[in-house]
Amino acid sequence: MTHEHPGPAGLQAERTGLAWTRTALAFGGAALLVTRYAVVRHVSLLVACGVVMLATAAGVALVARRRHDDIATSLADRRNPMNRKAVLLLSVVVSAVSLVCAVAVLSLR
Amino acid sequence: MAEERDASTDEPATPTPWWQEGTDPDYRFSLANERTFLAWIRTALAFVAAAVALEQLVPSFSVHGVRTALSVVLALFGLLAGVGAYRHWMLSERAMRRGEPLPRSPLMLWLSVGLVLIAAVVAVVLVVQAS
């Protein structure tokens, strides 16, 4: 394909990389809130939750850093740049964290 | 690359996974779908943050149990958005591979109605508290 924008991936890849960066920041913020909650209330399940969230924030930041280049590589290989495993993992972590928080709030009242 | 399957060939032992069905869509649409997914994930995280912040930082309402209930509902919205994010991403990606119209998502309606109800509850509680 010939496009006028720079490189084979161009602005689409940049926008997608930035979306991952925003998500990493959101994860970091939510992780700090959950960790604070966990430490204040001394609940080990919540502490684990906070640790998993911080690790996920780091993982998402890593994906964000590489996403632009990964997309460019996929396009050069004529592959669809779909990132199925990262999407599934992110969805599972966020859902699990939400559930744990709901249970924690209920049991700590 | 997706292969074109001939309808007359024997049924494969394992059914084709959805991510190999049809043909690869335009990469720009796949990336747009990915960004929409990420936006839903951030929405879910905002719900979790709101649930925890409500529980931790807001003084208890005079009506007993309301704060806990709102906090639990917000966290469950996070669960709904987290699961719905994947579901909508998968259905959209599959529809694009099959060349079908994009699926509708009930998620936005549910969450909007839920948030309006939460706002209404908070408004009522604040009025009761003030009087």
Side-chain angles (χ1 to χ4, degrees):
Chain A
M1 272 193 283
T2 54
H3 287 295
E4 288 175 26
H5 53 62
L11 299 177
Q12 298 289 335
E14 188 172 332
R15 256 149 73 181
T16 307
L18 286 170
W20 281 92
T21 305
R22 287 199 294 278
T23 307
L25 287 170
F27 244 107
L32 290 179
L33 262 178
V34 170
T35 307
R36 180 189 183 276
Y37 185 38
V39 170
V40 169
R41 305 301 289 262
H42 302 292
V43 184
S44 47
L45 186 62
L46 272 181
V47 173
C49 210
V51 170
V52 167
M53 287 178 83
L54 285 171
T56 309
V60 172
L62 202 67
V63 173
R65 220 178 106 74
R66 294 183 175 173
R67 195 69 184 117
H68 182 279
D69 292 344
D70 283 351
I71 291 168
T73 309
S74 295
L75 295 183
D77 296 349
R78 298 184 167 279
R79 280 185 293 115
N80 185 270
M82 179 167 66
N83 202 354
R84 188 168 51 87
K85 280 172 188 157
V87 164
L88 183 59
L89 189 66
L90 210 48
S91 174
V92 168
V93 169
V94 169
S95 305
V97 163
S98 305
L99 193 59
V100 168
C101 285
V103 171
V105 169
L106 255 186
S107 57
L108 289 175
R109 97 197 110 118
Chain B
M1 280 273 110
E3 319 140 87
E4 291 289 335
R5 283 187 191 283
D6 192 338
S8 63
T9 54
D10 290 314
E11 198 60 32
T14 51
T16 315
W18 66 264
W19 59 91
Q20 287 171 10
E21 279 182 30
T23 52
D24 281 348
D26 185 328
Y27 79 95
R28 290 168 293 184
F29 299 156
S30 282
L31 293 181
N33 193 24
E34 184 173 306
R35 293 195 294 272
T36 306
F37 164 80
L38 290 173
W40 275 110
I41 290 295
R42 291 194 296 275
T43 306
L45 285 170
F47 277 124
V48 171
V52 172
L54 183 66
E55 176 67 17
Q56 280 280 284
L57 309 174
V58 176
S60 203
F61 295 123
S62 59
V63 184
H64 188 72
V66 169
R67 194 185 62 176
T68 303
L70 286 181
S71 187
V72 170
V73 168
L74 282 170
L76 290 179
F77 277 6
L79 176 64
L80 201 65
V83 173
Y86 179 79
R87 183 178 174 274
H88 190 61
W89 173 83
M90 188 273 267
L91 291 177
S92 300
E93 202 69 29
R94 196 179 66 185
M96 289 192 289
R97 300 195 68 86
R98 291 175 174 175
E100 291 169 356
L102 288 177
R104 288 155 177 269
S105 171
L107 206 54
M108 231 176 290
L109 178 66
W110 292 354
L111 291 183
S112 303
V113 170
L115 283 176
V116 168
L117 288 180
I118 286 179
V121 168
V122 171
V124 168
V125 167
L126 288 180
V127 167
V128 167
Q129 209 161 275
S131 57

